[in-house]
Amino acid sequence: PALFQMSGIQPQVGRGVPCLRCRGLCTGFEPHSWRKICKSCKCSQEEHSLSSELDDDRKIGRLLADSKYATLTARLKGGDGARIYKRNRMIVTNPNISGKDPTFDTVTYEWAPPGLTQKLAMQYMELVPKELQPVAGTEGAFHRRRRLARQLPLHDQDPAQCRGLAEGEQQLMELFVKKYKAEALGVGEVALPGQGGGGKDEEKAQDKSTEPGRAHEPPNGALESAPAAGHYRCDSCQQPVPGDCPVVYAERAGYSRQWHPACFVCCRCAEPLVDLIYFWKSGAAWCGRHYCESLRPRCAGCDEIIFSEDYQQVEGLAWHNKHFACLECETLLTGKPFSLANASLLCTTCSQSR
């Protein structure tokens, strides 16, 4: 594959990085005291590309630790006992024989499905839209990092990152995280049709929360009931899957279901699931963000999950009581007139001055 350059300025890491959405209008990230936005331009932290690769790998390591996917993590050398994501990178060297002396083009994929031969991993990548292929230094690699920040916010798994927790709610959050790791968290695996799970019987992995009434289909790995070659279908688009093309399996869905690489997306936002990390619920795969929101409300002010039963609600949106405030002047708006635009609250004074 040809290496293509990311358009515009390559994002850097650091507190003062200009916002990518504002294109120069924001001079640098100014953290708000409790909102996950820049005080200067009101854009999210992910628009300023603040995390480093190490931060991201630590975050996924923390997510997968204490779960059945802990084998995808390693203990950080010289660290505090925390685990770090063993992210599988792939370096492909292509000979360039157009000139007199052959040269080599090296392409680095910042993430690739683990446990595959390079040939099968490359087949997988070719089935992903080019603009989403995580080639280092390209839009695809940047989109992967943004999806990671959006789909797997650290404040959905680490109480220490939360500003909205009241006294006694930290334990509620810890139980919430422990429960989703045990019951919903998964990492997709890539294999040829019929080879998911190494031919395991479906009963060993069939998710018990599959929708009532949905018939258990025969497992692809079972010789006596496997579909004939060419009869596999993508669970999402229902199109046939060629026997020589890699597909994605989700262990919690059971191995009778498979997806085209481009079809393994969140059922709520339709975004590709970053690094194949999914949450299984009601017979479908969710990204972490929308899975958590399907169980508890998320504060539109601080972006954190609300564990209190006492909160503000307007037009389908929710706020911690202490975060039900004007975006501009921070005046608390409980019992006061306000306007709501693009999920942001404004007092009457700030609304009129806009």
Side-chain angles (χ1 to χ4, degrees):
L3 181 66
F4 59 107
Q5 292 298 313
M6 178 178 170
S7 59
I9 302 169
Q10 182 74 13
Q12 303 164 29
V13 174
R15 173 167 281 198
V17 180
C19 177
L20 296 166
R21 178 179 287 178
C22 295
R23 298 293 178 188
L25 296 176
C26 170
T27 56
F29 183 74
E30 291 182 61
H32 188 276
S33 59
W34 52 265
R35 299 183 194 270
K36 310 293 188 295
I37 62 170
C38 173
K39 280 173 70 176
S40 173
C41 67
K42 305 294 193 292
C43 288
S44 67
Q45 291 180 357
E46 63 212 58
E47 298 294 345
H48 293 77
S49 188
L50 290 184
S51 66
S52 66
E53 281 194 358
L54 180 59
D55 290 336
D56 290 344
D57 289 346
R58 279 175 178 265
K59 177 171 76 171
I60 299 183
R62 181 188 176 100
L63 177 66
L64 300 181
D66 306 318
S67 80
K68 56 164 53 174
Y69 301 93
T71 53
L72 295 174
T73 69
R75 198 167 294 283
L76 192 61
K77 289 180 183 175
D80 52 5
R83 300 191 73 84
I84 191 167
Y85 182 37
K86 292 193 294 187
R87 178 160 46 95
N88 186 50
R89 296 174 180 81
M90 180 170 67
I91 299 173
V92 180
T93 304
N94 297 316
N96 180 1
I97 52 175
S98 57
K100 271 186 182 178
D101 300 316
T103 56
F104 296 91
D105 293 329
T106 300
V107 181
T108 300
Y109 291 85
E110 292 192 351
W111 173 85
L116 305 182
T117 63
Q118 190 173 89
K119 180 184 176 184
L120 195 58
M122 283 306 302
Q123 278 183 276
Y124 169 90
M125 286 300 175
E126 285 160 9
L127 293 170
V128 173
K130 191 162 186 176
E131 67 274 12
L132 296 179
Q133 294 174 12
V135 175
T138 69
E139 288 276 10
F142 178 53
H143 281 305
R144 173 190 166 270
R145 300 274 307 281
R146 282 183 69 183
R147 284 204 312 279
L148 198 157
R150 180 78 183 154
Q151 293 180 13
L152 303 171
L154 187 54
H155 49 271
D156 278 10
Q157 55 165 309
D158 184 359
Q161 301 296 320
C162 297
R163 301 282 164 83
L165 293 176
E167 190 176 345
E169 289 178 2
Q170 177 166 334
Q171 190 175 10
L172 287 176
M173 182 173 181
E174 287 170 352
L175 291 172
F176 178 80
V177 173
K178 188 175 181 180
K179 194 168 191 289
Y180 74 54
K181 285 189 181 189
E183 298 179 2
L185 175 64
V187 181
E189 61 183 273
V190 175
L192 290 174
Q195 296 181 18
K200 295 175 189 171
D201 291 332
E202 185 177 351
E203 296 82 47
K204 293 178 186 175
Q206 180 69 41
D207 175 51
K208 295 185 173 53
S209 68
T210 302
E211 290 170 308
R214 183 181 179 114
H216 285 223
E217 298 157 322
N220 288 343
L223 295 176
E224 70 274 13
S225 57
H231 287 197
Y232 296 101
R233 289 187 178 273
C234 172
D235 198 72
S236 177
C237 69
Q238 297 300 313
Q239 294 301 306
V241 176
D244 59 351
C245 282
V247 292
V248 179
Y249 286 94
E251 183 184 9
R252 290 189 185 274
Y255 289 99
S256 63
R257 304 168 76 172
Q258 59 274 309
W259 288 261
H260 290 118
C263 291
F264 194 58
V265 300
C266 171
C267 67
R268 173 68 60 84
C269 63
E271 282 285 310
L273 292 160
V274 66
D275 294 11
L276 305 182
I277 297 169
Y278 68 91
F279 291 73
W280 191 256
K281 181 189 171 195
S282 303
W286 302 63
C287 71
R289 169 175 288 274
H290 290 117
Y291 171 80
C292 290
E293 287 177 15
S294 76
L295 301 177
R296 297 204 65 92
R298 184 181 297 279
C299 178
C302 70
D303 198 50
E304 295 169 15
I305 299 298
I306 299 175
F307 289 93
S308 168
E309 298 307 319
D310 180 22
Y311 58 91
Q312 300 292 327
Q313 204 165 7
V314 179
E315 294 184 16
L317 297 172
W319 286 262
H320 290 107
N321 288 332
K322 61 184 176 183
H323 294 159
F324 193 69
C326 176
L327 179 67
E328 299 291 346
C329 69
E330 303 292 342
T331 300
L332 281 173
L333 296 172
T334 306
K336 297 179 182 177
F338 62 87
S339 63
L340 179 65
N342 298 322
S344 295
L345 295 166
L346 292 172
C347 68
T348 50
T349 304
C350 291
S351 176
Q352 289 166 5
S353 65
R354 274 198 162 189

